[in-house]
Amino acid sequence: MKKKFITFTILLFFSMFAFSQNIIPKDFSTQTVEGKAVTFADFQKAEITMLNIWGTFCSPCIREMPDLAELSNKYQDRNFQIIGIVLDVTNSNGNINQKKLNEAKNIISLTNVSYKNLVPTKNMIDTFLHNIYVVPNTFFIDKNGNQIGDEIFGSKSKNEWEKIIDEKLKLVE
């Protein structure tokens, strides 16, 4: 029985990576809300990146941001990073709404967020963001841009996020 359990666990672990979806292509490029360029290399700075997709209109998103800011600092030495994507600062054509961008910058400042927050491009909207109907929506990806596990809908408490992050880090530590 123990041998079957070990075999099952190993297969489950490798299947997560074998069937993972690549959501960040190697030619990825966008900018932060501050206008700094972001490329695929930014995702390779950590073994695991938590992509938290949020909107300026979303109270649960904003409520969890101070906790995410603390967790970003707590886990930065464990090969982990958080990157936000502000879904509503661009329209479906990727054109920036300056009023929403300023609102996002204000929210980021008020919630003490120091991790990167990205402006979606048309390519991002047409690919991995096109099925996002609920925010916050969170993905975990490896440094190759592959999704790890399922997306997570809704906000979480700091303790809930810690448990999830610890589980993801066990996969690479």
Side-chain angles (χ1 to χ4, degrees):
M1 181 68 178
K2 187 175 182 180
K3 187 175 181 180
K4 286 182 182 179
F5 176 76
I6 292 171
T7 302
F8 174 77
T9 303
I10 291 170
L11 286 173
L12 181 64
F13 175 78
F14 285 110
S15 69
M16 278 185 26
F17 292 101
F19 297 107
S20 62
Q21 175 186 4
N22 183 283
I23 60 173
I24 305 297
K26 303 240 185 295
D27 63 349
F28 179 89
S29 67
T30 189
Q31 66 181 16
T32 65
V33 295
E34 294 85 14
K36 295 179 184 171
V38 175
T39 66
F40 182 75
D42 289 281
F43 293 93
Q44 295 183 302
K45 293 179 179 176
E47 287 291 326
I48 295 180
T49 299
M50 176 181 174
L51 278 180
N52 181 256
I53 302 161
W54 64 282
T56 60
F57 59 89
C58 173
S59 298
C61 300
I62 297 165
R63 262 194 315 272
E64 77 176 354
M65 289 174 72
D67 289 341
L68 294 179
E70 287 180 34
L71 293 170
S72 177
N73 293 330
K74 176 181 178 177
Y75 286 97
Q76 69 184 355
D77 294 333
R78 291 190 56 200
N79 223 351
F80 177 85
Q81 67 180 340
I82 297 174
I83 295 179
I85 299 176
V86 194
L87 194 60
D88 64 334
V89 297
T90 56
N91 64 19
S92 60
N93 293 322
N95 298 319
I96 297 173
N97 177 325
Q98 194 60 48
K99 182 179 176 186
K100 287 287 185 186
L101 183 63
N102 290 339
E103 189 176 344
K105 288 178 186 179
N106 188 45
I107 291 167
I108 290 165
S109 175
L110 290 172
T111 56
N112 294 316
V113 166
S114 59
Y115 55 84
K116 291 178 183 160
N117 277 274
L118 310 182
V119 173
T121 62
K122 177 157 178 42
N123 185 46
M124 291 166 65
I125 294 165
D126 291 343
T127 56
F128 72 94
L129 296 176
H130 79 282
N131 284 330
I132 304 295
Y133 301 108
V134 175
V135 290
N137 192 318
T138 303
F139 296 89
F140 288 86
I141 61 170
D142 66 18
K143 67 180 182 177
N144 296 313
N146 297 312
Q147 184 176 332
I148 301 171
D150 295 326
E151 61 191 298
I152 299 171
F153 303 103
S155 63
K156 305 281 182 227
S157 70
K158 183 178 174 184
N159 289 338
E160 289 171 316
W161 278 127
E162 282 180 311
K163 289 176 187 173
I164 294 167
I165 292 167
D166 287 339
E167 287 174 13
K168 301 296 182 192
L169 285 170
K170 285 179 187 175
L171 297 173
V172 294
E173 291 181 329

PDB file of all heavy atoms in Angstrom, residues 38-70:
ATOM      1  N   VAL A  38       8.476  45.276 -18.633  1.00  0.00           N
ATOM      2  CA  VAL A  38       8.475  43.947 -18.034  1.00  0.00           C
ATOM      3  C   VAL A  38       8.518  42.935 -19.171  1.00  0.00           C
ATOM      4  O   VAL A  38       7.776  43.051 -20.142  1.00  0.00           O
ATOM      5  CB  VAL A  38       7.202  43.714 -17.179  1.00  0.00           C
ATOM      6  CG1 VAL A  38       7.152  42.288 -16.651  1.00  0.00           C
ATOM      7  CG2 VAL A  38       7.134  44.705 -16.028  1.00  0.00           C
ATOM      8  N   THR A  39       9.412  41.961 -19.035  1.00  0.00           N
ATOM      9  CA  THR A  39       9.536  40.909 -20.042  1.00  0.00           C
ATOM     10  C   THR A  39       9.479  39.541 -19.362  1.00  0.00           C
ATOM     11  O   THR A  39       9.371  39.446 -18.143  1.00  0.00           O
ATOM     12  CB  THR A  39      10.879  41.028 -20.806  1.00  0.00           C
ATOM     13  OG1 THR A  39      11.952  40.776 -19.894  1.00  0.00           O
ATOM     14  CG2 THR A  39      11.036  42.403 -21.459  1.00  0.00           C
ATOM     15  N   PHE A  40       9.597  38.513 -20.169  1.00  0.00           N
ATOM     16  CA  PHE A  40       9.598  37.146 -19.655  1.00  0.00           C
ATOM     17  C   PHE A  40      10.678  36.952 -18.588  1.00  0.00           C
ATOM     18  O   PHE A  40      10.479  36.211 -17.627  1.00  0.00           O
ATOM     19  CB  PHE A  40       9.810  36.157 -20.812  1.00  0.00           C
ATOM     20  CG  PHE A  40       9.779  34.727 -20.396  1.00  0.00           C
ATOM     21  CD1 PHE A  40       8.576  34.102 -20.084  1.00  0.00           C
ATOM     22  CD2 PHE A  40      10.953  33.988 -20.314  1.00  0.00           C
ATOM     23  CE1 PHE A  40       8.544  32.777 -19.694  1.00  0.00           C
ATOM     24  CE2 PHE A  40      10.923  32.666 -19.927  1.00  0.00           C
ATOM     25  CZ  PHE A  40       9.717  32.058 -19.621  1.00  0.00           C
ATOM     26  N   ALA A  41      11.796  37.636 -18.721  1.00  0.00           N
ATOM     27  CA  ALA A  41      12.903  37.504 -17.760  1.00  0.00           C
ATOM     28  C   ALA A  41      12.465  37.862 -16.337  1.00  0.00           C
ATOM     29  O   ALA A  41      12.993  37.311 -15.369  1.00  0.00           O
ATOM     30  CB  ALA A  41      14.079  38.381 -18.187  1.00  0.00           C
ATOM     31  N   ASP A  42      11.492  38.750 -16.195  1.00  0.00           N
ATOM     32  CA  ASP A  42      10.999  39.116 -14.862  1.00  0.00           C
ATOM     33  C   ASP A  42      10.326  37.937 -14.161  1.00  0.00           C
ATOM     34  O   ASP A  42      10.303  37.878 -12.940  1.00  0.00           O
ATOM     35  CB  ASP A  42      10.036  40.298 -14.954  1.00  0.00           C
ATOM     36  CG  ASP A  42      10.756  41.584 -15.304  1.00  0.00           C
ATOM     37  OD1 ASP A  42      11.363  42.183 -14.407  1.00  0.00           O
ATOM     38  OD2 ASP A  42      10.724  41.979 -16.488  1.00  0.00           O
ATOM     39  N   PHE A  43       9.778  37.018 -14.930  1.00  0.00           N
ATOM     40  CA  PHE A  43       9.140  35.841 -14.350  1.00  0.00           C
ATOM     41  C   PHE A  43      10.163  34.757 -13.997  1.00  0.00           C
ATOM     42  O   PHE A  43       9.860  33.843 -13.259  1.00  0.00           O
ATOM     43  CB  PHE A  43       8.078  35.276 -15.303  1.00  0.00           C
ATOM     44  CG  PHE A  43       6.915  36.201 -15.473  1.00  0.00           C
ATOM     45  CD1 PHE A  43       6.890  37.120 -16.506  1.00  0.00           C
ATOM     46  CD2 PHE A  43       5.852  36.178 -14.584  1.00  0.00           C
ATOM     47  CE1 PHE A  43       5.825  37.996 -16.656  1.00  0.00           C
ATOM     48  CE2 PHE A  43       4.783  37.044 -14.719  1.00  0.00           C
ATOM     49  CZ  PHE A  43       4.777  37.957 -15.765  1.00  0.00           C
ATOM     50  N   GLN A  44      11.352  34.879 -14.538  1.00  0.00           N
ATOM     51  CA  GLN A  44      12.397  33.901 -14.264  1.00  0.00           C
ATOM     52  C   GLN A  44      13.217  34.254 -13.031  1.00  0.00           C
ATOM     53  O   GLN A  44      14.126  33.529 -12.675  1.00  0.00           O
ATOM     54  CB  GLN A  44      13.301  33.762 -15.483  1.00  0.00           C
ATOM     55  CG  GLN A  44      12.550  33.181 -16.670  1.00  0.00           C
ATOM     56  CD  GLN A  44      13.451  32.979 -17.855  1.00  0.00           C
ATOM     57  OE1 GLN A  44      14.075  33.914 -18.335  1.00  0.00           O
ATOM     58  NE2 GLN A  44      13.514  31.744 -18.316  1.00  0.00           N
ATOM     59  N   LYS A  45      12.878  35.326 -12.364  1.00  0.00           N
ATOM     60  CA  LYS A  45      13.605  35.744 -11.167  1.00  0.00           C
ATOM     61  C   LYS A  45      13.239  34.916  -9.947  1.00  0.00           C
ATOM     62  O   LYS A  45      13.881  35.032  -8.912  1.00  0.00           O
ATOM     63  CB  LYS A  45      13.358  37.232 -10.899  1.00  0.00           C
ATOM     64  CG  LYS A  45      13.975  38.118 -11.966  1.00  0.00           C
ATOM     65  CD  LYS A  45      13.701  39.568 -11.717  1.00  0.00           C
ATOM     66  CE  LYS A  45      14.372  40.398 -12.811  1.00  0.00           C
ATOM     67  NZ  LYS A  45      14.076  41.816 -12.688  1.00  0.00           N
ATOM     68  N   ALA A  46      12.200  34.087 -10.062  1.00  0.00           N
ATOM     69  CA  ALA A  46      11.769  33.231  -8.955  1.00  0.00           C
ATOM     70  C   ALA A  46      11.321  31.891  -9.519  1.00  0.00           C
ATOM     71  O   ALA A  46      10.892  31.813 -10.668  1.00  0.00           O
ATOM     72  CB  ALA A  46      10.619  33.881  -8.191  1.00  0.00           C
ATOM     73  N   GLU A  47      11.437  30.858  -8.712  1.00  0.00           N
ATOM     74  CA  GLU A  47      10.961  29.536  -9.127  1.00  0.00           C
ATOM     75  C   GLU A  47       9.442  29.552  -9.307  1.00  0.00           C
ATOM     76  O   GLU A  47       8.919  28.893 -10.191  1.00  0.00           O
ATOM     77  CB  GLU A  47      11.337  28.471  -8.094  1.00  0.00           C
ATOM     78  CG  GLU A  47      12.804  28.112  -8.081  1.00  0.00           C
ATOM     79  CD  GLU A  47      13.260  27.369  -9.327  1.00  0.00           C
ATOM     80  OE1 GLU A  47      12.479  26.586  -9.900  1.00  0.00           O
ATOM     81  OE2 GLU A  47      14.415  27.581  -9.731  1.00  0.00           O
ATOM     82  N   ILE A  48       8.755  30.295  -8.433  1.00  0.00           N
ATOM     83  CA  ILE A  48       7.300  30.376  -8.505  1.00  0.00           C
ATOM     84  C   ILE A  48       6.868  31.836  -8.417  1.00  0.00           C
ATOM     85  O   ILE A  48       7.352  32.595  -7.578  1.00  0.00           O
ATOM     86  CB  ILE A  48       6.631  29.566  -7.370  1.00  0.00           C
ATOM     87  CG1 ILE A  48       6.939  28.079  -7.546  1.00  0.00           C
ATOM     88  CG2 ILE A  48       5.122  29.804  -7.344  1.00  0.00           C
ATOM     89  CD1 ILE A  48       6.331  27.192  -6.485  1.00  0.00           C
ATOM     90  N   THR A  49       5.943  32.184  -9.313  1.00  0.00           N
ATOM     91  CA  THR A  49       5.346  33.513  -9.310  1.00  0.00           C
ATOM     92  C   THR A  49       3.846  33.366  -9.098  1.00  0.00           C
ATOM     93  O   THR A  49       3.194  32.563  -9.749  1.00  0.00           O
ATOM     94  CB  THR A  49       5.597  34.244 -10.647  1.00  0.00           C
ATOM     95  OG1 THR A  49       7.006  34.401 -10.834  1.00  0.00           O
ATOM     96  CG2 THR A  49       4.918  35.613 -10.673  1.00  0.00           C
ATOM     97  N   MET A  50       3.338  34.147  -8.178  1.00  0.00           N
ATOM     98  CA  MET A  50       1.902  34.228  -7.951  1.00  0.00           C
ATOM     99  C   MET A  50       1.387  35.409  -8.765  1.00  0.00           C
ATOM    100  O   MET A  50       1.811  36.539  -8.546  1.00  0.00           O
ATOM    101  CB  MET A  50       1.632  34.452  -6.457  1.00  0.00           C
ATOM    102  CG  MET A  50       0.195  34.638  -6.085  1.00  0.00           C
ATOM    103  SD  MET A  50       0.115  34.908  -4.263  1.00  0.00           S
ATOM    104  CE  MET A  50      -1.609  35.267  -4.082  1.00  0.00           C
ATOM    105  N   LEU A  51       0.526  35.140  -9.747  1.00  0.00           N
ATOM    106  CA  LEU A  51      -0.081  36.190 -10.562  1.00  0.00           C
ATOM    107  C   LEU A  51      -1.454  36.489  -9.991  1.00  0.00           C
ATOM    108  O   LEU A  51      -2.352  35.658 -10.062  1.00  0.00           O
ATOM    109  CB  LEU A  51      -0.261  35.718 -12.008  1.00  0.00           C
ATOM    110  CG  LEU A  51       0.911  35.797 -12.946  1.00  0.00           C
ATOM    111  CD1 LEU A  51       0.524  35.274 -14.318  1.00  0.00           C
ATOM    112  CD2 LEU A  51       1.432  37.207 -13.051  1.00  0.00           C
ATOM    113  N   ASN A  52      -1.617  37.654  -9.418  1.00  0.00           N
ATOM    114  CA  ASN A  52      -2.880  38.050  -8.804  1.00  0.00           C
ATOM    115  C   ASN A  52      -3.557  39.075  -9.703  1.00  0.00           C
ATOM    116  O   ASN A  52      -3.074  40.190  -9.853  1.00  0.00           O
ATOM    117  CB  ASN A  52      -2.637  38.618  -7.403  1.00  0.00           C
ATOM    118  CG  ASN A  52      -3.909  39.009  -6.713  1.00  0.00           C
ATOM    119  OD1 ASN A  52      -4.229  40.183  -6.611  1.00  0.00           O
ATOM    120  ND2 ASN A  52      -4.637  38.030  -6.218  1.00  0.00           N
ATOM    121  N   ILE A  53      -4.664  38.678 -10.319  1.00  0.00           N
ATOM    122  CA  ILE A  53      -5.383  39.541 -11.244  1.00  0.00           C
ATOM    123  C   ILE A  53      -6.490  40.240 -10.466  1.00  0.00           C
ATOM    124  O   ILE A  53      -7.307  39.587  -9.817  1.00  0.00           O
ATOM    125  CB  ILE A  53      -5.945  38.715 -12.416  1.00  0.00           C
ATOM    126  CG1 ILE A  53      -4.782  37.991 -13.119  1.00  0.00           C
ATOM    127  CG2 ILE A  53      -6.697  39.610 -13.394  1.00  0.00           C
ATOM    128  CD1 ILE A  53      -5.189  36.835 -13.970  1.00  0.00           C
ATOM    129  N   TRP A  54      -6.490  41.559 -10.534  1.00  0.00           N
ATOM    130  CA  TRP A  54      -7.425  42.339  -9.727  1.00  0.00           C
ATOM    131  C   TRP A  54      -7.966  43.514 -10.520  1.00  0.00           C
ATOM    132  O   TRP A  54      -7.511  43.789 -11.625  1.00  0.00           O
ATOM    133  CB  TRP A  54      -6.756  42.797  -8.438  1.00  0.00           C
ATOM    134  CG  TRP A  54      -5.592  43.743  -8.599  1.00  0.00           C
ATOM    135  CD1 TRP A  54      -4.311  43.418  -8.966  1.00  0.00           C
ATOM    136  CD2 TRP A  54      -5.602  45.160  -8.404  1.00  0.00           C
ATOM    137  NE1 TRP A  54      -3.528  44.549  -8.999  1.00  0.00           N
ATOM    138  CE2 TRP A  54      -4.292  45.626  -8.656  1.00  0.00           C
ATOM    139  CE3 TRP A  54      -6.578  46.067  -8.031  1.00  0.00           C
ATOM    140  CZ2 TRP A  54      -3.949  46.968  -8.554  1.00  0.00           C
ATOM    141  CZ3 TRP A  54      -6.238  47.406  -7.927  1.00  0.00           C
ATOM    142  CH2 TRP A  54      -4.935  47.851  -8.191  1.00  0.00           C
ATOM    143  N   GLY A  55      -8.960  44.191  -9.941  1.00  0.00           N
ATOM    144  CA  GLY A  55      -9.549  45.356 -10.579  1.00  0.00           C
ATOM    145  C   GLY A  55      -9.729  46.483  -9.582  1.00  0.00           C
ATOM    146  O   GLY A  55      -9.912  46.246  -8.381  1.00  0.00           O
ATOM    147  N   THR A  56      -9.697  47.696 -10.081  1.00  0.00           N
ATOM    148  CA  THR A  56      -9.835  48.865  -9.214  1.00  0.00           C
ATOM    149  C   THR A  56     -11.223  48.951  -8.583  1.00  0.00           C
ATOM    150  O   THR A  56     -11.390  49.605  -7.564  1.00  0.00           O
ATOM    151  CB  THR A  56      -9.558  50.160  -9.993  1.00  0.00           C
ATOM    152  OG1 THR A  56     -10.488  50.270 -11.079  1.00  0.00           O
ATOM    153  CG2 THR A  56      -8.138  50.189 -10.526  1.00  0.00           C
ATOM    154  N   PHE A  57     -12.188  48.282  -9.170  1.00  0.00           N
ATOM    155  CA  PHE A  57     -13.578  48.283  -8.696  1.00  0.00           C
ATOM    156  C   PHE A  57     -13.842  47.207  -7.647  1.00  0.00           C
ATOM    157  O   PHE A  57     -14.924  47.144  -7.071  1.00  0.00           O
ATOM    158  CB  PHE A  57     -14.519  48.019  -9.882  1.00  0.00           C
ATOM    159  CG  PHE A  57     -14.223  46.710 -10.556  1.00  0.00           C
ATOM    160  CD1 PHE A  57     -14.832  45.541 -10.128  1.00  0.00           C
ATOM    161  CD2 PHE A  57     -13.305  46.634 -11.592  1.00  0.00           C
ATOM    162  CE1 PHE A  57     -14.534  44.325 -10.720  1.00  0.00           C
ATOM    163  CE2 PHE A  57     -13.001  45.427 -12.191  1.00  0.00           C
ATOM    164  CZ  PHE A  57     -13.622  44.269 -11.755  1.00  0.00           C
ATOM    165  N   CYS A  58     -12.872  46.354  -7.380  1.00  0.00           N
ATOM    166  CA  CYS A  58     -13.072  45.123  -6.612  1.00  0.00           C
ATOM    167  C   CYS A  58     -12.646  45.295  -5.151  1.00  0.00           C
ATOM    168  O   CYS A  58     -11.449  45.276  -4.839  1.00  0.00           O
ATOM    169  CB  CYS A  58     -12.276  43.999  -7.283  1.00  0.00           C
ATOM    170  SG  CYS A  58     -12.243  42.456  -6.379  1.00  0.00           S
ATOM    171  N   SER A  59     -13.634  45.434  -4.260  1.00  0.00           N
ATOM    172  CA  SER A  59     -13.344  45.593  -2.830  1.00  0.00           C
ATOM    173  C   SER A  59     -12.573  44.414  -2.247  1.00  0.00           C
ATOM    174  O   SER A  59     -11.600  44.624  -1.510  1.00  0.00           O
ATOM    175  CB  SER A  59     -14.632  45.804  -2.044  1.00  0.00           C
ATOM    176  OG  SER A  59     -15.267  46.969  -2.468  1.00  0.00           O
ATOM    177  N   PRO A  60     -12.956  43.144  -2.535  1.00  0.00           N
ATOM    178  CA  PRO A  60     -12.180  42.018  -1.996  1.00  0.00           C
ATOM    179  C   PRO A  60     -10.723  42.018  -2.483  1.00  0.00           C
ATOM    180  O   PRO A  60      -9.816  41.661  -1.736  1.00  0.00           O
ATOM    181  CB  PRO A  60     -12.931  40.783  -2.486  1.00  0.00           C
ATOM    182  CG  PRO A  60     -14.329  41.253  -2.740  1.00  0.00           C
ATOM    183  CD  PRO A  60     -14.181  42.675  -3.206  1.00  0.00           C
ATOM    184  N   CYS A  61     -10.517  42.446  -3.725  1.00  0.00           N
ATOM    185  CA  CYS A  61      -9.152  42.532  -4.264  1.00  0.00           C
ATOM    186  C   CYS A  61      -8.320  43.501  -3.432  1.00  0.00           C
ATOM    187  O   CYS A  61      -7.196  43.198  -3.021  1.00  0.00           O
ATOM    188  CB  CYS A  61      -9.166  43.038  -5.704  1.00  0.00           C
ATOM    189  SG  CYS A  61     -10.060  42.043  -6.897  1.00  0.00           S
ATOM    190  N   ILE A  62      -8.885  44.660  -3.213  1.00  0.00           N
ATOM    191  CA  ILE A  62      -8.174  45.726  -2.507  1.00  0.00           C
ATOM    192  C   ILE A  62      -7.953  45.349  -1.040  1.00  0.00           C
ATOM    193  O   ILE A  62      -6.885  45.614  -0.487  1.00  0.00           O
ATOM    194  CB  ILE A  62      -8.934  47.060  -2.660  1.00  0.00           C
ATOM    195  CG1 ILE A  62      -8.960  47.455  -4.144  1.00  0.00           C
ATOM    196  CG2 ILE A  62      -8.308  48.152  -1.807  1.00  0.00           C
ATOM    197  CD1 ILE A  62      -9.952  48.545  -4.496  1.00  0.00           C
ATOM    198  N   ARG A  63      -8.943  44.689  -0.434  1.00  0.00           N
ATOM    199  CA  ARG A  63      -8.816  44.268   0.970  1.00  0.00           C
ATOM    200  C   ARG A  63      -7.662  43.290   1.184  1.00  0.00           C
ATOM    201  O   ARG A  63      -7.017  43.316   2.222  1.00  0.00           O
ATOM    202  CB  ARG A  63     -10.121  43.618   1.451  1.00  0.00           C
ATOM    203  CG  ARG A  63     -11.003  44.533   2.216  1.00  0.00           C
ATOM    204  CD  ARG A  63     -12.116  43.812   2.971  1.00  0.00           C
ATOM    205  NE  ARG A  63     -12.809  42.784   2.225  1.00  0.00           N
ATOM    206  CZ  ARG A  63     -13.867  42.984   1.440  1.00  0.00           C
ATOM    207  NH1 ARG A  63     -14.342  44.195   1.287  1.00  0.00           N
ATOM    208  NH2 ARG A  63     -14.445  41.984   0.816  1.00  0.00           N
ATOM    209  N   GLU A  64      -7.409  42.416   0.191  1.00  0.00           N
ATOM    210  CA  GLU A  64      -6.347  41.433   0.390  1.00  0.00           C
ATOM    211  C   GLU A  64      -4.964  41.951  -0.005  1.00  0.00           C
ATOM    212  O   GLU A  64      -3.952  41.325   0.305  1.00  0.00           O
ATOM    213  CB  GLU A  64      -6.662  40.119  -0.342  1.00  0.00           C
ATOM    214  CG  GLU A  64      -6.444  40.122  -1.822  1.00  0.00           C
ATOM    215  CD  GLU A  64      -6.679  38.766  -2.480  1.00  0.00           C
ATOM    216  OE1 GLU A  64      -6.901  37.760  -1.789  1.00  0.00           O
ATOM    217  OE2 GLU A  64      -6.633  38.727  -3.712  1.00  0.00           O
ATOM    218  N   MET A  65      -4.892  43.076  -0.644  1.00  0.00           N
ATOM    219  CA  MET A  65      -3.599  43.591  -1.120  1.00  0.00           C
ATOM    220  C   MET A  65      -2.591  43.872  -0.010  1.00  0.00           C
ATOM    221  O   MET A  65      -1.408  43.541  -0.182  1.00  0.00           O
ATOM    222  CB  MET A  65      -3.805  44.791  -2.038  1.00  0.00           C
ATOM    223  CG  MET A  65      -4.398  44.383  -3.386  1.00  0.00           C
ATOM    224  SD  MET A  65      -4.836  45.759  -4.458  1.00  0.00           S
ATOM    225  CE  MET A  65      -3.222  46.350  -4.946  1.00  0.00           C
ATOM    226  N   PRO A  66      -2.972  44.449   1.143  1.00  0.00           N
ATOM    227  CA  PRO A  66      -1.973  44.625   2.203  1.00  0.00           C
ATOM    228  C   PRO A  66      -1.389  43.289   2.685  1.00  0.00           C
ATOM    229  O   PRO A  66      -0.186  43.189   2.954  1.00  0.00           O
ATOM    230  CB  PRO A  66      -2.745  45.317   3.327  1.00  0.00           C
ATOM    231  CG  PRO A  66      -3.865  46.015   2.639  1.00  0.00           C
ATOM    232  CD  PRO A  66      -4.243  45.098   1.497  1.00  0.00           C
ATOM    233  N   ASP A  67      -2.223  42.248   2.756  1.00  0.00           N
ATOM    234  CA  ASP A  67      -1.728  40.913   3.130  1.00  0.00           C
ATOM    235  C   ASP A  67      -0.775  40.371   2.075  1.00  0.00           C
ATOM    236  O   ASP A  67       0.267  39.794   2.400  1.00  0.00           O
ATOM    237  CB  ASP A  67      -2.893  39.934   3.322  1.00  0.00           C
ATOM    238  CG  ASP A  67      -3.712  40.226   4.565  1.00  0.00           C
ATOM    239  OD1 ASP A  67      -3.211  40.929   5.474  1.00  0.00           O
ATOM    240  OD2 ASP A  67      -4.857  39.730   4.636  1.00  0.00           O
ATOM    241  N   LEU A  68      -1.130  40.553   0.803  1.00  0.00           N
ATOM    242  CA  LEU A  68      -0.250  40.093  -0.274  1.00  0.00           C
ATOM    243  C   LEU A  68       1.075  40.848  -0.241  1.00  0.00           C
ATOM    244  O   LEU A  68       2.132  40.262  -0.500  1.00  0.00           O
ATOM    245  CB  LEU A  68      -0.933  40.242  -1.630  1.00  0.00           C
ATOM    246  CG  LEU A  68      -2.157  39.369  -1.871  1.00  0.00           C
ATOM    247  CD1 LEU A  68      -2.744  39.640  -3.251  1.00  0.00           C
ATOM    248  CD2 LEU A  68      -1.836  37.900  -1.695  1.00  0.00           C
ATOM    249  N   ALA A  69       1.027  42.133   0.094  1.00  0.00           N
ATOM    250  CA  ALA A  69       2.259  42.920   0.210  1.00  0.00           C
ATOM    251  C   ALA A  69       3.158  42.344   1.305  1.00  0.00           C
ATOM    252  O   ALA A  69       4.372  42.192   1.108  1.00  0.00           O
ATOM    253  CB  ALA A  69       1.936  44.382   0.493  1.00  0.00           C
ATOM    254  N   GLU A  70       2.568  42.003   2.445  1.00  0.00           N
ATOM    255  CA  GLU A  70       3.341  41.391   3.533  1.00  0.00           C
ATOM    256  C   GLU A  70       3.902  40.038   3.121  1.00  0.00           C
ATOM    257  O   GLU A  70       5.066  39.717   3.408  1.00  0.00           O
ATOM    258  CB  GLU A  70       2.464  41.218   4.780  1.00  0.00           C
ATOM    259  CG  GLU A  70       2.152  42.509   5.493  1.00  0.00           C
ATOM    260  CD  GLU A  70       1.275  42.286   6.721  1.00  0.00           C
ATOM    261  OE1 GLU A  70       1.418  41.229   7.379  1.00  0.00           O
ATOM    262  OE2 GLU A  70       0.449  43.166   7.016  1.00  0.00           O
TER     263      GLU A  70
END
